[in-house]
Amino acid sequence: MQITLPGLSPEESVLTDILDRLAKKQINLSFLCLDATSISQVCFCMTTTDYAVGRELIDDLLRPAGICSEVVTSVGTLALFPHQSSLNILGHVLEVFGRNELPVYGLSSSISALAINTDYHRLDQAAELLKGVFLLPENHAPFRQILPVKSM
């Protein structure tokens, strides 16, 4: 799930209150991005299970501030690294996504990785399309996270 909070004023403590309450419930955010370039906007991702727990506490804090959240239910993150701070790589990625009408719900960059949030059900398609543009090393990481099986 990706939750976007548009029109969040930096002076408001709503965001810190939300993050504090999510932390107290031990809800992990796999993605957090604050865009303060014009009108502030925050987006973050969590699992569907965590959203079922956190939705009400988020809404309880947003309602008094008059902020409506936007929720995208089917989101997965595709990470590319190393991107070497190359705008050329970013351009190729965005070209592939645009040409193939793959949605970009969020985009962030760190020192080593470029992370693109897109439709979860289209992650394999996105990875295949990007393989046509980028040469992957033989020992590249798996395209999907392999979760450990819990023994009973």
Side-chain angles (χ1 to χ4, degrees), residues 2 7 12 38 66-67 89 91 95 109 112 133 140 144 147 150:
Q2 179 171 302
E12 294 181 72
S38 57
I67 300 168
I89 289 175
E95 180 183 2
S109 177
S112 62
V133 177
H140 71 80
R144 290 208 183 261
L147 299 174
K150 293 181 182 178

Side-chain angles (χ1 to χ4, degrees), residues 4-65:
T4 302
L5 310 176
L8 206 67
S9 169
E11 296 81 34
E12 294 181 72
S13 64
V14 176
L15 177 60
T16 53
D17 291 344
I18 288 172
L19 295 176
D20 182 57
R21 289 192 186 179
L22 292 175
K24 285 179 179 167
K25 292 278 188 182
Q26 296 184 339
I27 293 177
N28 184 44
L29 301 181
S30 58
F31 179 84
L32 173 63
C33 181
L34 170 62
D35 176 3
T37 52
S38 57
I39 297 173
S40 293
Q41 175 173 292
V42 174
C43 64
F44 50 89
C45 294
M46 65 179 70
T47 65
T48 304
T49 305
D50 284 341
Y51 184 68
V53 173
R55 185 186 81 219
E56 197 170 311
L57 70 89
I58 293 169
D59 289 344
D60 287 347
L61 289 168
L62 294 178
R63 224 175 283 113

Side-chain angles (χ1 to χ4, degrees), residues 14-143:
V14 176
L15 177 60
T16 53
D17 291 344
I18 288 172
L19 295 176
D20 182 57
R21 289 192 186 179
L22 292 175
K24 285 179 179 167
K25 292 278 188 182
Q26 296 184 339
I27 293 177
N28 184 44
L29 301 181
S30 58
F31 179 84
L32 173 63
C33 181
L34 170 62
D35 176 3
T37 52
S38 57
I39 297 173
S40 293
Q41 175 173 292
V42 174
C43 64
F44 50 89
C45 294
M46 65 179 70
T47 65
T48 304
T49 305
D50 284 341
Y51 184 68
V53 173
R55 185 186 81 219
E56 197 170 311
L57 70 89
I58 293 169
D59 289 344
D60 287 347
L61 289 168
L62 294 178
R63 224 175 283 113
I67 300 168
C68 295
S69 63
E70 299 167 4
V71 179
V72 180
T73 57
S74 174
V75 175
T77 301
L78 187 78
L80 300 171
F81 57 92
H83 63 68
Q84 303 160 341
S85 299
S86 170
L87 290 177
N88 196 21
I89 289 175
L90 175 61
H92 285 307
V93 169
L94 292 176
E95 180 183 2
V96 166
F97 272 70
R99 191 173 351 107
N100 294 283
E101 299 181 3
L102 290 164
V104 176
Y105 299 127
L107 179 77
S108 65
S109 177
S110 69
I111 292 172
S112 62
L114 181 64
I116 305 106
N117 291 351
T118 191
D119 189 295
Y120 180 81
H121 302 289
R122 297 185 71 187
L123 283 173
D124 290 329
Q125 177 190 8
E128 282 302 313
L129 290 165
L130 289 171
K131 279 174 43 179
V133 177
F134 299 107
L135 181 61
L136 298 177
E138 288 186 29
N139 62 345
H140 71 80
F143 289 131

